[in-house]
């Protein structure tokens, strides 16, 4: 069966409602020999920053000479982006052969798209003899399909109100779900977060007799840099290829984790891993400069907290442009009202669009929310056309494409497809 047919079958399994729980993934993994039990893993959860932290962690490990598997979600353009070894995407042949090998259990147990993808990642990493696997959770933590591993370390990057209909409507409830990835007598690293959330993680870590490292105990935040306190020395982080002060905080979690677990404190290798994070991990959509003049920025800020983080960086270049425009799309379970309130002061025009995803808010739904708070938005059916045309705009104008990763991926895939068609 060709890769196109396999992916079509996989994508058809995306559920209209999230199906949390470990029973299906455990049966699927048992069917394929439980490869996850033979991997040395780092497990990462959090409301924001988990993809960036995972990418820094895997990149630094690669610079140390290790063979590193990286599992993240969702993808932007190609499904294969989700599963990488040392930056190289999983090949089509493995995807096809893996799917064909589990068709019987798919029919019997009806695992979800994410459960199948997670099992595929574990099998691919095991078959390719990775030294370490860096695993990002999908949703929450306690009942997430990735939560079948016993990791070397659990990293919880941040806690904010998200997926409240699934994870709970308070920071404490959400922290409880994220802290569900913590396993007995392992290392736990927590990021910068509200105290009430950190208290939940601390309590869980102590209950399970873990070696616990809260953010405030190993990071000193200065105005333009952060100082990471390691076992034998201190490491100052001034910048990374991923723009924004918050990326220094994400990076500090990776640096501290590798210090605690593997005693990795070589400045040169750490610096190289940070500087090569994009090449080594393939990370996209984090204040990504798609075009310089005119300026086009892609950012996967998808909730109020990440919008605030985006704006902290955007305000630094706000006055450089004569005109600022925004293309915005979001999932319907996000706080769209609060996101629009945060964004509206910074843009002359706000275009709203949607993606073909059962969880996505439609254009009409976003418009309704905008009308409620007296924010003027303009419907847009083909954002990729607007992005392409904007490249011929006045050079001191700026366009930001912001929101769901699915939105950024849709635009990128259509632009890339057109480029390929033109080349052929």
């Amino acid at each position: 069966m060709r890769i196109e047919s396999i992916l079509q079958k996989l994508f058809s399994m995306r559920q209209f409602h999230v199906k949390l729980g470990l029973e299906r993934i455990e049966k699927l993994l048992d069917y394929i020999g439980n490869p996850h039990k033979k991997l040395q893993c780092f497990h990462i959860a959090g409301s924001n920053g988990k993809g960036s932290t995972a990418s820094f962690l895997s990149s630094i490990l690669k610079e140390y000479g290790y063979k590193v598997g990286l599992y993240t979600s969702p993808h932007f353009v190609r499904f294969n982006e989700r599963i990488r070894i040392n930056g190289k995407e999983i090949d089509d042949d493995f995807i096809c052969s893996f799917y064909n090998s589990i068709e019987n259990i798919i029919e019997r147990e009806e695992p979800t798209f994410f459960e199948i993808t997670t099992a595929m990642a574990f099998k691919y990493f095991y078959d390719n003899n990775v030294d370490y696997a860096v695993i990002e959770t999908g949703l929450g933590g306690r009942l997430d399909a990735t939560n079948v591993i016993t990791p070397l370390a659990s990293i919880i990057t941040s806690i904010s109100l998200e997926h409240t209909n699934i994870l709970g409507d308070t920071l404490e409830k959400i922290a409880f779900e994220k802290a569900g990835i913590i396993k007995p007598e392992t290392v736990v690293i927590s990021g910068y977060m509200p105290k009430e959330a950190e208290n939940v993680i601390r309590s869980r870590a102590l209950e399970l007799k873990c070696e616990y490292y809260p953010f405030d105990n190993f990071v000193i935040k200065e105005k333009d840099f952060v100082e990471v306190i390691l076992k034998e020395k201190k490491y100052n982080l001034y910048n990374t290829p991923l723009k924004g002060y918050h990326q220094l905080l994400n990076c500090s979690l990776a640096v501290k984790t590798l210090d605690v677990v593997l005693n990795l404190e070589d400045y040169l290798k750490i610096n190289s891993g940070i500087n090569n994070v994009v090449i080594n991990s393939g990370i996209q959509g984090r204040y990504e400069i798609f075009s310089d003049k005119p300026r086009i920025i892609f950012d996967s800020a998808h909730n109020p907290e990440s919008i605030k983080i985006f704006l902290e960086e955007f305000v630094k270049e706000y006055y450089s442009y004569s005109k600022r425009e925004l293309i915005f799309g979001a999932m319907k379970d996000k706080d769209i009202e609060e996101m629009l309130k945060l964004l509206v002061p910074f843009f002359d025009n706000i275009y709203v669009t949607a993606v073909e995803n059962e969880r996505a808010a439609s254009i009409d739904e976003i418009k309704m929310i905008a009308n409620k708070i007296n924010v003027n938005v303009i419907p847009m059916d083909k954002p990729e056309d607007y992005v392409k045309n904007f490249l011929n705009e006045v050079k001191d104008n700026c366009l930001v494409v912001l929101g769901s990763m699915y939105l950024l991926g849709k635009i990128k895939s259509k632009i890339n497809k057109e480029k390929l068609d033109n080349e052929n």
Side-chain angles (χ1 to χ4, degrees), residues 108-227:
R108 187 167 70 247
E109 301 296 338
E110 298 183 343
T112 66
F113 168 85
F114 187 71
E115 289 164 349
I116 293 170
T117 305
T118 300
M120 183 187 300
F122 291 145
K123 186 71 164 66
Y124 187 65
F125 295 154
Y126 172 71
D127 285 2
N128 284 276
N129 299 307
V130 300
D131 297 305
Y132 298 103
V134 180
I135 309 296
E136 177 192 351
T137 60
L139 175 65
R142 182 174 63 93
L143 298 176
D144 187 78
T146 63
N147 199 29
V148 291
I149 56 176
T150 299
L152 299 170
S154 300
I155 307 165
I156 301 173
T157 59
S158 68
I159 301 292
S160 63
L161 290 173
E162 60 154 5
H163 302 295
T164 52
N165 59 321
I166 298 171
L167 304 181
D169 56 2
T170 68
L171 291 174
E172 290 88 348
K173 289 177 181 176
I174 293 172
F176 172 79
E177 293 298 328
K178 307 288 186 185
I181 69 169
I182 298 172
K183 303 300 189 301
E185 300 180 4
T186 56
V187 170
V188 178
I189 311 281
S190 67
Y192 183 65
M193 65 182 67
K195 194 64 182 175
E196 58 265 42
E198 193 271 325
N199 286 340
V200 174
I201 295 165
R202 177 191 296 272
S203 175
R204 185 61 176 163
L206 295 179
E207 177 188 344
L208 295 178
K209 300 180 181 179
C210 295
E211 192 176 336
Y212 179 54
Y213 297 85
F215 182 86
D216 289 341
N217 283 18
F218 65 88
V219 174
I220 299 171
K221 293 171 63 181
E222 303 291 352
K223 182 180 178 182
D224 298 319
F225 70 97
V226 300
E227 182 178 78

Side-chain angles (χ1 to χ4, degrees), residues 254-283:
V255 172
K256 182 61 177 178
T257 300
L258 294 177
D259 168 54
V260 171
V261 178
L262 300 177
N263 297 310
L264 303 184
E265 292 190 356
D266 186 317
Y267 282 176
L268 292 178
K269 288 186 172 63
I270 292 172
N271 287 340
S272 184
I274 294 167
N275 292 333
N276 292 325
V277 66
V278 176
I279 297 170
N280 288 348
S281 72
I283 189 169

Side-chain angles (χ1 to χ4, degrees), residues 8-45:
Q8 189 174 12
K9 285 192 173 187
L10 276 173
F11 292 143
S12 71
M13 295 173 190
R14 286 176 168 168
Q15 302 298 316
F16 283 89
H17 299 286
V18 176
K19 291 166 61 174
L20 294 175
L22 302 180
E23 182 180 352
R24 290 177 305 276
I25 184 69
E26 287 174 341
K27 287 182 178 178
L28 177 53
L29 287 168
D30 188 59
Y31 184 82
I32 62 173
N34 291 310
H36 62 296
K37 293 183 178 180
K38 303 151 192 169
L39 297 172
Q40 295 198 88
C41 299
F42 295 89
H43 204 185
I44 304 174

Side-chain angles (χ1 to χ4, degrees), residues 307-323:
I307 294 285
K308 290 174 186 175
I309 290 168
F310 164 80
L311 291 173
E312 285 176 7
E313 188 65 23
F314 185 65
V315 74
K316 297 174 186 177
E317 56 180 282
Y318 174 85
Y319 292 104
S320 302
Y321 311 113
S322 59
K323 185 178 180 183

Side-chain angles (χ1 to χ4, degrees), residues 374-392:
N374 296 315
V375 172
N376 183 47
V377 297
I378 305 164
M380 179 176 284
D381 289 322
K382 294 186 175 181
E384 63 277 5
D385 290 345
Y386 196 84
V387 172
K388 287 181 290 185
N389 292 333
F390 194 87
L391 292 168
N392 299 317

